[in-house]
């Protein structure tokens, strides 16, 4: 199931972020970029897995490491978005939640730096 859900959610979020129509409730004519992106991700993923002698376990591990390293950057930009009044209106973070979120980001950044440092040394 994840082979379809992950590309679908990624295509949805990329399309939404770029302002394109998105969703499986839309036709191809209404959301061509969404369906093209979704189909391309499935084809690229399937093609990559079908390559002979590909170390799939290492690829899965590497993708998880890359996601972990990118997480602090994603959290930083999410915090910036959640605190913009013009975007979130009355739903912006309170000071209490900002303190928790920033502390969480600092811990994740420290752990990421520690992981990269121990890996390289």
């Amino acid at each position: 199931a994840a082979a379809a859900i992950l590309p679908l959610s990624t295509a949805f979020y990329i399309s939404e972020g770029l302002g394109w129509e998105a969703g499986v409730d839309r036709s191809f004519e209404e959301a061509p970029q969404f369906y093209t992106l979704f189909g391309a991700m499935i084809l690229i993923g399937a093609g990559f897995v079908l390559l002979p002698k590909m170390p799939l376990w290492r690829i899965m591990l590497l993708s998880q490491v890359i996601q972990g390293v990118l997480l602090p950057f994603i959290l930083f930009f999410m915090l910036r978005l959640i605190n913009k009044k013009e975007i979130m209106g009355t739903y912006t973070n309170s000071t209490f939640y900002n303190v928790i979120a920033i502390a969480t980001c600092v811990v994740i950044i420290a752990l990421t730096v520690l992981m990269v440092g121990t890996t390289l040394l």
Side-chain angles (χ1 to χ4, degrees), residues 4-16:
I5 299 301
L6 292 175
L8 180 64
S9 62
T10 303
F12 179 77
Y13 289 120
I14 290 172
S15 297
E16 285 289 317

Side-chain angles (χ1 to χ4, degrees), residues 62-78 108-109 112 115-116:
L62 181 64
S63 74
Q64 294 301 311
V65 169
I66 290 170
Q67 289 178 29
V69 170
L70 291 177
L71 180 63
F73 298 102
I74 294 167
L75 289 175
F76 172 76
F77 287 111
M78 285 177 63
I108 290 175
I109 289 168
T112 302
M115 178 194 69
V116 170

